[in-house]
Amino acid sequence: MVVGGGPTGVEMAGAIAELSRWTLARDFRHIDPASARTLLVEAGPRLLAAFPEELAAYAGDRLRGLGVAVITGASVDDVLPDAVVIAGRETPCGAVVWGAGIRATSITRALGAPVDRAGRVSVGPNLAIVGREDAYAIGDCAALLQDGQPLPALAQVAKQQGEYLGRVLGEHGGEHREPFRFRNRGNTAVVGRNAAVFDFGKHRLRGRVAWLLWALVHVYLLVGFEKRLLVSVQWLWRYLTYQRGARLIR
Ligand SMILES: Cc1cc2nc3c(=O)[nH]c(=O)nc-3n(C[C@H](O)[C@H](O)[C@H](O)COP(=O)(O)OP(=O)(O)OC[C@H]3O[C@@H](n4cnc5c(N)ncnc54)[C@H](O)[C@@H]3O)c2cc1C
């Protein structure tokens, strides 16, 4: 069971479904892959709330095609040793993967500034903590509104904020002229083999082309030529052979 239908939950549910379909079948002859059940539970009305509806619908269809049971509009209230409680009803399950978000480190609450639901501390346009012009917060622990919307807790936001703050502190010693502005380079989620969604704002991609682009971007973002080459070769090998180790020794 995967809790949360954002990019993390969608990617996880797709990966588990593929593992049970391809890897279990080959590695464990006594396990019937058809008996493996993957459930994805989302509290909101649809998957991938941050993506356009058509891409979210595509992701849902792909997951269902992989055998994932998708439940939307129902929140997980409790996680028990062998079950989860979904909208008041106990559903037995063997393993639970939490993909419904994280909470910022508790130190943000000690700063005396307002925090949002996820414990992120409010910052102004120059990333200074609200009410404390001598301290700054960036990345996942900072809540910044841009055009009235909170910026998502994403690596590209954290990276751009780090670069901005380093630059303006170096140049102006804290006397910031221009406010921080996040430039969205696109949101993506991979749904499984040959299937991904990519949202660039005006342009949208889905399917194999989006999946290839997803792989290229992730390889490009790795540090150093050696790592890029190594990961590319490993991915290509796994793609061609369907090999994805799922053997755990306990
Ligand atoms: C499962 C998952 C999947 C994700 N996938 C994507 C993705 O595909 N694309 C994307 O853009 N983003 C993704 N993200 C989000 C991305 O990882 C974060 O937005 C990004 O790491 C934020 O960077 P950060 O430096 O603010 O925080 P972090 O990367 O969390 O770094 C904070 C560091 O501070 C340390 N720390 C915490 N408290 C203290 C303390 N009191 N003292 C000292 N050290 C402390 C922590 O140990 C940690 O090393 C994903 C997140 C998760 C959980």
Side-chain angles (χ1 to χ4, degrees):
M1 155 120 24
V2 180
V3 186
T8 303
V10 164
E11 291 193 353
M12 195 70 200
I16 294 173
E18 286 193 337
L19 274 178
S20 61
R21 185 176 268 206
W22 310 114
T23 313
L24 280 185
R26 201 173 37 196
D27 287 1
F28 303 93
R29 280 185 220 119
H30 300 294
I31 296 178
D32 173 13
S35 68
R37 221 176 137 231
T38 313
L39 206 66
L40 175 62
V41 187
E42 162 59 39
R46 68 170 171 92
L47 299 178
L48 299 179
F51 285 72
E53 210 153 334
E54 73 183 76
L55 295 185
Y58 168 80
D61 289 346
R62 287 296 302 210
L63 286 177
R64 285 183 202 96
L66 286 170
V68 176
V70 178
I71 300 175
T72 54
S75 71
V76 168
D77 306 321
D78 203 357
V79 179
L80 309 170
D82 297 314
V84 292
V85 181
I86 306 170
R89 277 186 54 194
E90 221 172 273
T91 305
C93 78
V96 182
V97 179
W98 189 261
I102 50 155
R103 198 170 269 283
T105 171
S106 57
I107 205 162
T108 54
R109 289 164 202 280
L111 297 169
V115 292
D116 69 5
R117 238 183 77 204
R120 304 190 302 169
V121 65
S122 294
V123 295
N126 62 0
L127 307 182
I129 294 171
V130 168
R132 294 204 41 184
E133 292 300 317
D134 60 333
Y136 301 85
I138 57 173
D140 277 9
C141 71
L144 175 64
L145 293 179
Q146 184 168 298
D147 304 328
Q149 295 293 322
L151 289 180
L154 284 178
Q156 50 173 334
V157 175
K159 233 175 117 182
Q160 289 179 31
Q161 289 181 334
E163 282 162 7
Y164 164 88
L165 196 57
R167 186 164 42 80
V168 296
L169 284 179
E171 283 172 9
H172 312 298
E175 296 288 317
H176 314 146
R177 311 235 159 93
E178 84 242 68
F180 171 77
R181 182 126 197 113
F182 170 58
R183 282 190 184 81
N184 191 348
R185 307 233 154 88
N187 286 331
T188 180
V190 66
V191 193
R193 201 178 161 84
N194 297 327
V197 289
F198 232 114
D199 174 29
F200 297 100
K202 273 193 213 146
H203 304 286
R204 292 158 191 181
L205 284 176
R206 61 186 203 194
R208 190 191 288 262
V209 180
W211 179 79
L212 269 173
L213 193 62
W214 174 92
L216 285 174
V217 167
H218 281 78
V219 167
Y220 171 76
L221 289 174
L222 293 172
V223 178
F225 175 76
E226 199 184 318
K227 281 245 163 52
R228 287 179 190 149
L229 185 67
L230 190 72
V231 171
S232 304
V233 172
Q234 281 174 343
W235 281 7
L236 190 63
W237 178 251
R238 281 177 197 166
Y239 180 76
L240 294 174
T241 60
Y242 283 75
Q243 219 174 67
R244 217 173 184 186
R247 295 166 214 127
L248 300 177
I249 300 170
R250 288 177 55 168

